[in-house]
Amino acid sequence: DGGARLELWQIRSYQLAMNFYIRTFTFLAFAFATVFSMGDPCESADYRVRKKTEGIIFDIAINRNPPVLGDNEIRIEIKDPQGHPVVDAEVLVNYYMPPMPNMAPMNYTIPASLSGKEYRAVMDLIMTGPWNIVTRARIQGRWIRVVFPIDVR
């Protein structure tokens, strides 16, 4: 009888341990799947701006939110008044820090190249603080621009 109790105790301990391992494994597998199935972290945490001018829509995303010191990729999707992508524009991104006393001007213009249905460029933001982003697009010979502020951290 004593041997049977020891055996039942061992079985129960084994069952509790297995239950613990199964629950732990399930939790870790779920956590891993959740973290790695969320897609590109840049895509989910973009700084986004939508501007409309002269019937043209600019959907702009920066891969950091908030934008940070150093390289920040800007993606610009341009749509005509009918909502069709504009893929034949010349696009320039001008980013500058508002003038400050006793500081050299920080004003840069870079071209954005077409990649799929969006235009891409990398801005090198060299100082924290307020910056203005001016996106210009030449569409059918006419320049259209949108402006928005960012705060670099």
Side-chain angles (χ1 to χ4, degrees), residues 23-37:
R23 286 182 183 208
T24 302
F25 176 79
T26 303
F27 171 78
L28 291 175
F30 177 75
F32 183 85
T34 301
V35 168
F36 290 102
S37 70

Side-chain angles (χ1 to χ4, degrees), residues 79-139:
K79 294 182 182 165
D80 66 16
Q82 291 76 37
H84 300 108
V86 174
V87 293
D88 58 352
E90 177 184 355
V91 178
L92 298 174
V93 177
N94 171 233
Y95 55 104
Y96 66 92
M97 187 169 248
M100 295 184 199
N102 301 321
M103 285 189 65
M106 288 179 265
N107 190 338
Y108 309 94
T109 300
I110 55 175
S113 55
L114 185 64
S115 175
K117 293 183 180 180
E118 63 187 13
Y119 298 85
R120 292 175 177 242
V122 176
M123 302 179 296
D124 182 16
L125 301 167
I126 62 170
M127 187 172 183
T128 59
W131 288 76
N132 290 318
I133 309 295
V134 181
T135 303
R136 292 183 179 91
R138 183 163 47 189
I139 302 170

